[in-house]
Amino acid sequence: MKITPIRKRKRVYQEIIEQIKTAVATGEVQPGDKLPSERALSEMLSVSRTSVKEALTVLKSSGVIHIKPGVGAFLVQESPQRLQVKLADLLQEKETSIVELIELRQAIEGDAAYYAAKRITSRQKENLQAVFERLVAIEEQGNVAVEEDYQFHLAIIEAANNPLMRDVMNLISDNMLRVLAKNQEASERNERFQGEIAEEHRNIYEAIINGKPQEARKAMWQHFQGVKQRHT
């Protein structure tokens, strides 16, 4: 199996899958063949073992390989053509709709606001207040506070004191910005609704600062309902 080092660091697991797809297409690996070990793949591809493990996990869940504990990973016993189709499906970029992203954030951040109102520390309160004041200052100028809005939501996620929520927030936000970049009308609508957005942010902020979990969750939920209406 011929391997070339991977230079690109974005979506590394897909690069690994791409090389396996090429090896199947050229016949270098056949159905039933054992793949190199995690360590060997990591060294040959010049990537971390974490990236290799991620690629193998995706391949296993998609039915491309099966893993024998203590032995290794093997391509399943299917025709090369069928394996090619499965691998091609894994490499396709799926278009994410803005509504899907908003609804996911609504679910996660509604609970984040709830827990932030219950768990926020004194230092986190100070940080949230500072972030909120910067957000208000930008909004009062009639500008679209993209970065300040992100920092406000991130401060709430951090105040929920659940580290996994921040990881999810970062992932969703990257996708959100990419989708919004394709929708210029969304920015224009955002500018027209600045007063409405500012009120929603204040309701969230006050509920969290005043330690009212149920109100915080409701305010965040209503905020994302508004976001959905403004972007659809």
Side-chain angles (χ1 to χ4, degrees):
M1 179 176 174
K2 294 181 180 179
I3 296 290
T4 57
I6 290 174
R7 307 298 180 189
K8 188 178 179 182
R9 284 294 179 265
K10 187 177 182 181
R11 304 179 73 85
V12 177
Y13 82 92
Q14 286 193 323
E15 295 283 351
I16 298 171
I17 293 173
E18 179 67 49
Q19 294 217 28
I20 293 174
K21 177 176 179 289
T22 299
V24 171
T26 59
E28 293 178 61
V29 291
Q30 298 289 329
D33 282 357
K34 180 182 178 181
L35 297 180
S37 67
E38 285 184 14
R39 176 178 292 180
L41 283 171
S42 174
E43 292 174 353
M44 288 187 288
L45 297 168
S46 298
V47 298
S48 69
R49 290 186 66 175
T50 299
S51 294
V52 172
K53 189 181 294 291
E54 183 180 8
L56 294 178
T57 298
V58 171
L59 290 169
K60 179 183 177 183
S61 65
S62 301
V64 175
I65 65 172
H66 64 92
I67 297 177
K68 296 181 180 179
V71 180
F74 296 79
L75 285 177
V76 297
Q77 290 283 1
E78 293 187 12
S79 69
Q81 293 77 16
R82 178 58 182 161
L83 287 174
Q84 282 284 84
V85 170
K86 286 185 175 181
L87 288 163
D89 286 343
L90 289 177
L91 294 168
Q92 282 185 347
E93 289 288 344
K94 294 181 173 62
E95 185 68 23
T96 303
S97 79
I98 191 168
V99 172
E100 291 170 342
L101 287 168
I102 290 171
E103 289 177 350
L104 182 55
R105 285 189 64 182
Q106 185 176 41
I108 294 171
E109 294 191 49
D111 280 349
Y114 174 89
Y115 288 117
K118 291 173 69 75
R119 300 172 178 170
I120 191 168
T121 65
S122 297
R123 180 175 296 180
Q124 288 169 339
K125 273 189 178 182
E126 292 175 1
N127 179 56
L128 181 59
Q129 181 178 358
V131 170
F132 178 70
E133 288 175 354
R134 289 197 298 272
L135 174 62
V136 170
I138 297 296
E139 289 175 337
E140 287 180 346
Q141 294 171 13
N143 297 321
V144 178
V146 177
E147 178 62 24
E148 291 76 14
D149 181 276
Y150 173 75
Q151 292 300 327
F152 175 67
H153 284 271
L154 185 58
I156 293 170
I157 290 286
E158 290 177 339
N161 287 293
N162 184 325
L164 291 178
M165 283 186 171
R166 174 164 184 162
D167 293 339
V168 174
M169 173 70 166
N170 287 333
L171 176 62
I172 296 172
S173 295
D174 288 344
N175 283 320
M176 178 74 80
L177 291 173
R178 186 162 56 249
V179 172
L180 285 175
K182 298 178 181 178
N183 185 0
Q184 295 300 325
E185 292 182 4
S187 295
E188 295 175 4
R189 285 197 291 272
N190 207 33
E191 291 176 0
R192 293 202 302 270
F193 288 101
Q194 279 303 302
E196 184 177 296
I197 296 169
E199 182 179 356
E200 291 168 3
H201 284 153
R202 182 170 294 280
N203 290 340
I204 296 167
Y205 169 76
E206 290 181 349
I208 292 173
I209 291 296
N210 293 323
K212 298 180 178 179
Q214 296 292 353
E215 290 185 19
R217 175 187 278 152
K218 181 179 179 181
M220 185 67 80
W221 183 270
Q222 290 175 338
H223 171 55
F224 278 107
Q225 283 297 101
V227 172
K228 189 190 300 186
Q229 292 172 5
R230 289 187 287 271
H231 289 289
T232 56

